[in-house]
Amino acid sequence: MEISKAEFEVMNAVWQGAPCTAADVVARLDNQTDWHEKTVKTLLNRLVKKGALGFDKDGRRYLYKPLFGRDEYRIKESTSLLNRLFDGRVSPLVSAFASRKQLSQQDIEELKDLIKQWEQTND
Amino acid sequence: MEISKAEFEVMNAVWQGAPCTAADVVARLDNQTDWHEKTVKTLLNRLVKKGALGFDKDGRRYLYKPLFGRDEYRIKESTSLLNRLFDGRVSPLVSAFASRKQLSQQDIEELKDLIKQWEQTND
DNA sequence: AAATTAAGATTACACACGTAATCATATTGT
DNA sequence: ACAATATGATTACGTGTGTAATCTTAATTT
């Protein structure tokens, strides 16, 4: 199951708080995009058909809810990118950023903390 | 400029060694895919139109060459993914992998080395 | 009760994409 | 010289995507 760019924005809006109505999603997206309400409804529909969203009926409205979490999606997308571009591993990605001077002192501190955590848990 | 999945495979083949002919690309892809020669030519054409590939004429053949490097592309795609999914920073991505037990001892070692390098260069 | 509104369902439509086949033409083999 | 071949160009065609408009029907307003 593949989610398009526009569909992802809608998922994001739903992840912000579910269950939620189509009107909620439209309202949440109003800040980020200038999509017509009809456009948003179309995308909700497609996401339901794709199995990315489910819903319960509330009268004649739908209460939408995501069928997988943001974290799950993040990992799936990241793994896919790492596989396509970085031999499936994290460090070549970090390395690419490092050699492009794309890492800040803060990034480094955060990575060091993560490593410390990991070692406490895994060693 | 956006490159599709299939187009990316072709770029990969060209990055393997450029300049190269369409026949070269077809041959290189023959291992990974079972695309028809015509399909590959179509993709080469589209990549030229998109400005991802250039070429010099060699008689009536083209010698294709990439107009941007693999590294450049990797950074662009990764930055885009980080922006969409991880607040634009590297460490939340690493963190997501860590909390999913998706990091190996080797990954950690590589990250530590990278950090050491970075600190030698930047401190 | 009739008219308006609002929800989701269906339809629309141009452009991208995957996956070729056909066309035009230059080169090569016989 | 003519036929076969190889190269890039053009055309094809179903499916996905961005971006809605229209349709159907239930609820709300007057």
Side-chain angles (χ1 to χ4, degrees), chain B residues 79-121:
Chain B
T79 301
S80 158
L81 180 122
L82 290 181
N83 284 334
R84 274 187 308 128
L85 298 179
F86 293 103
D87 195 27
R89 290 172 308 127
V90 168
S91 63
L93 181 150
V94 179
S95 173
F97 275 82
S99 55
R100 289 280 181 135
K101 322 280 185 220
Q102 220 87 76
L103 286 187
S104 68
Q105 179 70 51
Q106 190 199 345
D107 292 324
I108 295 292
E109 291 307 323
E110 288 171 355
L111 289 174
K112 283 164 84 170
D113 283 354
L114 282 169
I115 290 170
K116 201 184 299 173
Q117 294 260 202
W118 188 91
E119 289 182 330
Q120 267 165 20
T121 313

Side-chain angles (χ1 to χ4, degrees), chain A residues 70-111:
Chain A
R70 209 174 208 149
D71 282 0
E72 195 177 336
Y73 182 76
R74 279 202 262 249
I75 289 284
K76 196 168 67 61
E77 288 298 295
S78 309
T79 301
S80 157
L81 180 122
L82 289 181
N83 285 333
R84 275 187 307 129
L85 298 179
F86 293 104
D87 195 27
R89 291 173 306 128
V90 169
S91 63
L93 181 150
V94 178
S95 173
F97 276 82
S99 55
R100 288 282 180 134
K101 322 278 185 223
Q102 220 85 75
L103 286 187
S104 67
Q105 178 71 51
Q106 190 199 344
D107 292 323
I108 295 291
E109 291 307 322
E110 289 171 354
L111 289 174

Side-chain angles (χ1 to χ4, degrees), chain A residues 21-110:
Chain A
T21 66
D24 291 336
V25 176
V26 170
R28 288 172 192 172
L29 285 172
D30 200 40
N31 308 325
Q32 278 85 48
T33 74
D34 53 354
W35 291 339
H36 196 284
E37 168 228 355
K38 302 298 190 184
T39 301
V40 177
K41 302 257 184 111
T42 297
L43 293 170
L44 284 168
N45 237 286
R46 288 180 182 170
L47 285 166
V48 168
K49 276 191 186 132
K50 288 186 178 186
L53 291 179
F55 60 84
D56 297 310
K57 285 190 180 162
D58 170 35
R60 77 202 203 79
R61 290 183 316 175
Y62 288 175
L63 295 180
Y64 294 94
K65 61 192 173 192
L67 296 185
F68 50 83
R70 209 174 208 149
D71 282 0
E72 195 177 336
Y73 182 76
R74 279 202 262 249
I75 289 284
K76 196 168 67 61
E77 288 298 295
S78 309
T79 301
S80 157
L81 180 122
L82 289 181
N83 285 333
R84 275 187 307 129
L85 298 179
F86 293 104
D87 195 27
R89 291 173 306 128
V90 169
S91 63
L93 181 150
V94 178
S95 173
F97 276 82
S99 55
R100 288 282 180 134
K101 322 278 185 223
Q102 220 85 75
L103 286 187
S104 67
Q105 178 71 51
Q106 190 199 344
D107 292 323
I108 295 291
E109 291 307 322
E110 289 171 354

